[in-house]
Amino acid sequence: MLTFYTLTLSDQKKLTCVINKLEPYSDFNFISLYSWSLHSQTKYAIKNNCLFLQLPDYLTQKPKFTFICNDNVADNFDELLSWLRHNNYELKLDFLPQFILKPLEAHLKTKKINYSIYPDRDSYDYVLDVNKSFNAIGKEFQDFRYKLSLFKRTYKDKLQFKDFNHKDPSHIKASMLLAGKWALKKNADQHIEDEVFAFSRFLEIAGKSDNVSFISYWDGELLIALAAFEILSKKFAIGHFIKYDPDYKGIYHRLVHDTVTALSELNIQYLNIEQDLGLDNLRNAKLHLRPGHFLKKYILEIKT
């Protein structure tokens, strides 16, 4: 029987030993998991090189269950299903990566289990092609180029692109003020407190990581824009947070372009900018960046 443990900072090495061998889905990224475990609800189990998760829904905080592995998909699924039954949970799995569907469905059919699997569009990870976004060529990037040009024309040398020190208390304080301002001006709904708290947890763990980098803009001593990304491999990076003062025209597109520029210089091919949660404004913003592809996820329901 599986044993789940509450996720803590000390678990990073243990989880990344499993995660780093798999496709970079945002829901299984340790920094993302830790940041969004708002009330320490996220729990994990590791068995047979498989990561099992009990994690809160990003919007409702209700528990969801999932797993990810390269091998022994059938056995690992049976482990989780047995645990769910034993603990009287609904026989439903979320955030299932596309690459495990084929062996999983073959197993379900062999055991004659009645089930349904369907896409969870709200949880798809958006993946930018770094070089495509960096070059921004063609009609599809016309508006993106316009926003970059608007930023350059409007501010020229008025804003400073400089280092953000995630271990400097004054910079951390400035970033938290920016996060609050971003949420207020974006007129965020009831999830505003969760977003800001998750950002504070992210800063906590980012200060202990050598793989997290920042892009920041300052208006004098005032931090007005900040983007953070993590290098995952020679091929992939993931963007964790973008915070900015929307009063500065074109700043969002400038941050994105500076991020892909930095990644291009490191020969990173792809940037995962995570899911949209089904929120219209977030979906429109991510689609506007012209993602190269999605990391698709699915929901499985066992019918009894």
Side-chain angles (χ1 to χ4, degrees), residues 33-34 38 53 57 69 78 87 97 105 108 139 162 169 182 192 197 201 210 218 225 249 253-255 259 278:
L33 285 170
Y34 182 79
L38 303 180
L53 290 175
D57 180 270
C69 59
D78 286 344
N87 290 278
E105 288 202 84
L108 290 165
K139 187 176 181 179
K162 61 182 183 181
W182 173 87
I192 176 174
F197 185 65
R201 285 177 67 90
D210 295 326
W218 301 72
K249 306 299 182 184
H253 298 80
R254 182 74 262 170
L255 281 174
T259 298

Side-chain angles (χ1 to χ4, degrees), residues 95-263:
F95 310 125
L96 289 173
Q98 185 175 21
F99 71 87
I100 71 171
L101 289 191
K102 187 174 180 180
L104 181 56
E105 288 202 84
H107 175 62
L108 290 165
K109 289 174 181 176
T110 298
K111 295 193 73 172
K112 297 181 179 180
I113 296 174
N114 192 14
Y115 71 94
S116 63
I117 290 180
Y118 49 95
D120 182 8
R121 175 62 182 84
D122 295 348
S123 76
Y124 283 11
D125 284 345
Y126 292 69
V127 180
L128 303 186
D129 181 308
V130 167
N131 286 332
K132 187 177 177 182
S133 298
F134 168 66
N135 292 313
I137 296 172
K139 187 176 181 179
E140 64 178 329
F141 285 98
Q142 183 176 347
D143 188 61
F144 187 81
R145 293 193 303 271
Y146 170 76
K147 294 292 176 52
L148 291 176
S149 176
L150 175 64
F151 178 84
K152 185 176 181 179
R153 292 195 314 269
T154 304
Y155 302 107
K156 296 181 181 179
D157 299 325
K158 296 177 183 177
L159 303 179
Q160 296 80 47
F161 172 85
K162 61 182 183 181
D163 291 338
F164 176 83
N165 185 348
H166 59 297
K167 297 181 180 181
D168 183 333
S170 67
H171 282 212
I172 292 175
K173 182 178 179 180
S175 67
M176 290 305 298
L177 289 173
L178 175 64
K181 182 183 293 185
W182 173 87
L184 184 63
K185 291 192 175 182
K186 282 289 183 177
N187 195 25
D189 57 16
Q190 67 268 25
H191 306 297
I192 176 174
E193 291 184 3
D194 291 348
E195 176 80 20
V196 174
F197 185 65
F199 181 62
S200 71
R201 285 177 67 90
F202 167 75
L203 291 174
E204 176 189 2
I205 192 171
K208 304 177 187 298
S209 174
D210 295 326
N211 297 323
V212 175
S213 297
F214 293 85
I215 304 290
S216 66
Y217 278 89
W218 301 72
D219 189 346
E221 297 300 314
L222 180 66
L223 178 65
I224 57 100
L226 180 68
F229 62 90
E230 177 190 5
I231 303 297
L232 301 176
S233 66
K234 294 180 180 179
K235 197 173 169 183
F236 251 98
I238 185 168
H240 285 293
F241 285 93
I242 289 186
K243 302 298 180 191
Y244 56 94
D245 185 337
D247 287 344
Y248 289 81
K249 306 299 182 184
I251 188 62
Y252 172 70
H253 298 80
R254 182 74 262 170
L255 281 174
V256 172
H257 195 260
D258 285 348
T259 298
V260 295
T261 298
L263 294 174

Side-chain angles (χ1 to χ4, degrees), residues 32-50:
S32 181
L33 285 170
Y34 182 79
S35 299
W36 287 97
S37 183
L38 303 180
H39 307 289
S40 299
Q41 311 103 307
T42 300
K43 301 180 186 299
Y44 75 94
I46 296 176
K47 188 174 182 179
N48 299 325
N49 292 315
C50 180

